[in-house]
Short mmCIF file of all heavy atoms in Angstrom, two decimals:
data_model
loop_
_atom_site.label_atom_id
_atom_site.label_comp_id
_atom_site.label_asym_id
_atom_site.label_seq_id
_atom_site.Cartn_x
_atom_site.Cartn_y
_atom_site.Cartn_z
N LEU A 14 56.50 63.63 -199.92
CA LEU A 14 57.79 63.72 -199.43
C LEU A 14 58.59 62.47 -199.74
O LEU A 14 58.17 61.32 -199.53
CB LEU A 14 57.86 63.97 -197.94
CG LEU A 14 57.25 65.20 -197.49
CD1 LEU A 14 57.20 65.28 -195.90
CD2 LEU A 14 58.04 66.41 -197.90
N ILE A 30 55.04 57.43 -182.78
CA ILE A 30 53.67 56.91 -182.41
C ILE A 30 52.79 57.46 -183.59
O ILE A 30 52.66 58.60 -183.82
CB ILE A 30 53.23 57.60 -181.07
CG1 ILE A 30 54.17 57.12 -179.91
CG2 ILE A 30 51.71 57.20 -180.90
CD1 ILE A 30 53.87 57.85 -178.53
N TYR A 32 49.04 57.09 -184.22
CA TYR A 32 47.87 56.84 -183.61
C TYR A 32 46.64 57.45 -184.29
O TYR A 32 46.74 58.67 -184.48
CB TYR A 32 47.74 57.10 -182.14
CG TYR A 32 46.59 56.70 -181.38
CD1 TYR A 32 46.44 55.33 -181.01
CD2 TYR A 32 45.51 57.55 -181.21
CE1 TYR A 32 45.35 54.84 -180.26
CE2 TYR A 32 44.29 56.97 -180.55
CZ TYR A 32 44.22 55.64 -180.19
OH TYR A 32 43.21 55.15 -179.52
N ARG A 53 63.71 57.43 -191.31
CA ARG A 53 64.06 58.19 -190.12
C ARG A 53 64.10 57.38 -188.79
O ARG A 53 64.52 57.94 -187.82
CB ARG A 53 63.03 59.43 -189.94
CG ARG A 53 63.13 60.37 -191.16
CD ARG A 53 64.29 60.67 -191.78
NE ARG A 53 65.35 61.25 -190.82
CZ ARG A 53 66.56 61.14 -190.96
NH1 ARG A 53 67.22 60.32 -191.88
NH2 ARG A 53 67.43 61.67 -190.12
N LYS A 55 65.53 55.09 -186.20
CA LYS A 55 66.89 54.53 -185.95
C LYS A 55 66.78 52.92 -185.89
O LYS A 55 65.81 52.41 -185.48
CB LYS A 55 67.36 54.98 -184.56
CG LYS A 55 67.92 56.41 -184.57
CD LYS A 55 68.41 56.82 -183.13
CE LYS A 55 68.76 58.24 -183.19
NZ LYS A 55 69.26 58.53 -181.72
N LEU A 67 41.12 44.28 -188.27
CA LEU A 67 40.23 43.28 -188.58
C LEU A 67 40.75 41.91 -187.89
O LEU A 67 41.92 41.77 -187.68
CB LEU A 67 40.24 42.98 -190.06
CG LEU A 67 39.58 44.20 -190.82
CD1 LEU A 67 39.93 44.06 -192.37
CD2 LEU A 67 38.15 44.29 -190.63
N ARG A 85 27.64 62.93 -196.32
CA ARG A 85 28.15 63.58 -197.53
C ARG A 85 27.23 64.61 -198.08
O ARG A 85 26.09 64.41 -198.10
CB ARG A 85 28.47 62.68 -198.65
CG ARG A 85 29.27 63.12 -199.84
CD ARG A 85 29.69 61.98 -200.75
NE ARG A 85 30.60 60.96 -200.24
CZ ARG A 85 30.47 59.79 -200.21
NH1 ARG A 85 29.45 59.32 -200.76
NH2 ARG A 85 31.31 58.99 -199.62
N TRP A 142 38.52 55.50 -194.77
CA TRP A 142 38.68 54.58 -193.56
C TRP A 142 38.65 53.12 -194.19
O TRP A 142 37.80 52.66 -194.93
CB TRP A 142 37.31 54.75 -192.79
CG TRP A 142 37.29 53.92 -191.58
CD1 TRP A 142 37.81 54.19 -190.31
CD2 TRP A 142 36.62 52.70 -191.35
NE1 TRP A 142 37.58 53.21 -189.48
CE2 TRP A 142 36.81 52.33 -190.09
CE3 TRP A 142 35.85 51.83 -192.26
CZ2 TRP A 142 36.25 51.09 -189.53
CZ3 TRP A 142 35.34 50.58 -191.67
CH2 TRP A 142 35.59 50.35 -190.35
N ALA A 148 48.48 41.11 -190.18
CA ALA A 148 49.39 40.56 -191.20
C ALA A 148 49.69 41.53 -192.33
O ALA A 148 50.82 41.62 -192.84
CB ALA A 148 48.92 39.21 -191.67
N ARG A 181 42.25 28.75 -176.19
CA ARG A 181 43.77 28.53 -176.47
C ARG A 181 43.86 27.09 -177.24
O ARG A 181 44.67 27.06 -178.05
CB ARG A 181 44.46 28.36 -175.13
CG ARG A 181 44.63 29.75 -174.33
CD ARG A 181 45.60 29.72 -173.24
NE ARG A 181 45.28 28.72 -172.19
CZ ARG A 181 44.49 28.97 -171.19
NH1 ARG A 181 43.93 30.07 -170.95
NH2 ARG A 181 44.35 27.95 -170.30
N ASP A 198 43.42 37.94 -182.83
CA ASP A 198 42.41 39.11 -183.01
C ASP A 198 41.11 38.53 -183.07
O ASP A 198 40.12 39.37 -183.00
CB ASP A 198 42.83 39.93 -184.18
CG ASP A 198 44.06 40.87 -183.99
OD1 ASP A 198 44.40 41.02 -182.84
OD2 ASP A 198 44.53 41.36 -184.96
#
Side-chain angles (χ1 to χ4, degrees):
L14 297 173
I30 299 171
Y32 186 82
R53 304 317 302 147
K55 289 181 182 178
L67 290 171
R85 191 172 295 131
W142 184 85
R181 291 194 303 272
D198 287 344

